[in-house]
Amino acid sequence: MHIPDGILSPAILATGAAVSVIVLAKSVQESKKNLEQTAVPIMGVMAAFIFAAQMVNFPLLGAAASGHLIGGALAAYLFGFWPTTLIMTTVVTIQAVVFQDGGISVLGVNILNMAILAPLAATLVYKLVRKTKVPVSVMVFIAGWVSVVVTAGFAALQLGASHVVSYQLALQTLILWHVIIGIGEGVITGAVVPFARRSSFFLGVSEERLR
Amino acid sequence: MKKRLVLWIVVSLFIAGGVSLLASTHPDGYEKTGEQLGFIDRATSYLHSPLPDYAIPGVHSWLSTSLAGILGVAITFVLFLLLGKMAGKRR
């Protein structure tokens, strides 16, 4: 899901960067008000964990393709939307700058997709599902899957708007792959959340909000 | 809590430095789409990163990926601590 340089149009790159800057300014404002210093090392550990997990591409059986975790749904479950944008932005930025994974001119768009839209989609799922009796494991699986498919949908719209390929082809192809990759996201998110809960890796608010 | 944090860092180092060696080398969903629809050829890099593609330049063995992963975990953790300290509430 890391978009390289040279594909999207300058207008889309600029729009993505502008939206990301606005949202991240709001994230910083939120954390100035609400982020306890005691939570910072916990979030730092999760950022490091998500970086590590993203390195492990899993094969898609029967296809010469792979997928890997985004981690937006995982972090959003534990910390809520605003803190998650900071975690994911740190990861995505380091990947672009240090490891050349995701283009530097596309950083704004990649942040928008993986650090903002993915956790936003997951957060909406949590808000919808938390009122039902669906078990946490199922809820985080759904949130993981939805976050990946929604992000793929937006990535397709960015391709269409950049006149790279038609909207229809981009949507069809990207969403098809990510419907499968999203299963991996859901399974990994569902597997990690219980361990994170056992380590008390959530901010009090988030847990209360969800149960 | 400190012990738990250390444990998670150790697990992260193990994943980035060890499990990552088992990662699939097939293109990911975006690249695969790019191959199918023919736009991945336009991909380029405007920035020369110090550790491109999660490898240490000049090191040609599994150590290359392993060390790059370990460095990445360390950099991510430290950078987030600094940013979080600045962005969080004043003590």
Side-chain angles (χ1 to χ4, degrees), chain A residues 82-157:
Chain A
W82 294 110
T84 295
T85 59
L86 300 180
I87 293 175
M88 295 305 300
T89 297
T90 306
V91 172
V92 172
T93 304
I94 290 173
Q95 287 168 330
V97 174
V98 183
F99 299 98
Q100 219 165 296
D101 188 11
I104 196 70
S105 69
V106 203
L107 184 57
V109 174
N110 279 328
I111 287 175
L112 176 63
N113 291 351
M114 288 181 282
I116 296 169
L117 293 172
L120 183 64
T123 304
L124 293 178
V125 172
Y126 295 142
K127 278 198 196 293
L128 284 173
V129 177
R130 70 161 192 246
K131 292 171 199 129
T132 66
K133 288 209 168 65
V134 172
V136 169
S137 55
V138 176
M139 177 176 72
V140 297
F141 174 89
I142 297 171
W145 186 84
V146 168
S147 72
V148 169
V149 174
V150 166
T151 305
F154 277 97
L157 295 179

Side-chain angles (χ1 to χ4, degrees), chain A residues 14-29 82 112 116:
Chain A
T15 309
V19 175
S20 290
V21 166
I22 292 166
V23 175
L24 290 178
K26 173 89 177 136
S27 301
V28 171
Q29 215 177 23
W82 294 110
L112 176 63
I116 296 169

